[in-house]
Amino acid sequence: MFESSKHAIAAEGKILFAETIRIAQDSKAIKPEEMSRVIVDARVMKKNITFPTDAKLLYKAIAKGVKLAKHAGIKLRQTYLRKAQRAAIDAAKYVHAKQWKCNQRKIQDLKNWLGRTDHWTYEKR
């Protein structure tokens, strides 16, 4: 039933694959005649995934809030977009250099700016 590929599949992977096939056959998602030959590709592709840090999430929230306010026709006194982008970049640099207090200062700045833009948005409604 299983045809080997270039890379070996671990025993847990084989069990998981067999269970997946069994469930697919039980639910009639695949027909038994489709199972005469199965090709398994166990290669793994590396992905360039960045983790959602506090600074990045805060910057995205500020940018999204400004965009929504603009779409709703609300004119903000100050958007902090440029300062927020710079602060998010600086926070990442401080984390890399293990300068935690400087990083926390930038995150606090981002929180303050998010609160201000949010407050102005609600004030203008």
Side-chain angles (χ1 to χ4, degrees):
M1 182 173 173
F2 299 110
E3 199 172 295
S4 66
S5 66
K6 281 181 169 179
H7 305 283
I9 300 175
E12 297 88 21
K14 287 183 181 179
I15 293 169
L16 180 65
F17 182 68
E19 187 65 19
T20 304
I21 297 298
R22 187 191 64 75
I23 290 171
Q25 286 177 334
D26 289 349
S27 65
K28 296 189 179 16
I30 56 174
K31 298 173 186 163
E33 54 268 10
E34 293 175 343
M35 297 300 299
S36 62
R37 183 173 180 183
V38 177
I39 299 171
V40 178
D41 186 5
R43 290 177 287 180
V44 178
M45 295 293 292
K46 289 185 179 180
K47 303 263 182 198
N48 189 14
I49 297 173
T50 61
F51 293 98
T53 61
D54 290 345
K56 278 195 260 183
L57 292 173
L58 287 166
Y59 171 70
K60 281 185 177 181
I62 291 170
K64 188 81 152 181
V66 169
K67 184 179 177 183
L68 289 173
K70 186 177 181 180
H71 182 68
I74 299 171
K75 185 165 173 35
L76 299 175
R77 189 169 67 93
Q78 188 172 353
T79 63
Y80 294 105
L81 278 177
R82 288 184 184 155
K83 290 178 87 170
Q85 186 176 21
R86 184 75 243 169
I89 292 168
D90 288 345
K93 288 179 182 178
Y94 289 140
V95 168
H96 182 70
K98 296 184 180 175
Q99 296 175 358
W100 309 117
K101 288 184 181 178
C102 294
N103 175 49
Q104 287 303 314
R105 179 68 239 162
K106 292 296 180 182
I107 289 176
Q108 188 59 48
D109 287 343
L110 286 164
K111 287 179 183 178
N112 289 340
W113 296 332
L114 176 61
R116 288 180 194 167
T117 55
D118 189 40
H119 174 74
W120 290 332
T121 304
Y122 283 114
E123 208 174 68
K124 299 286 184 176
R125 283 185 181 174

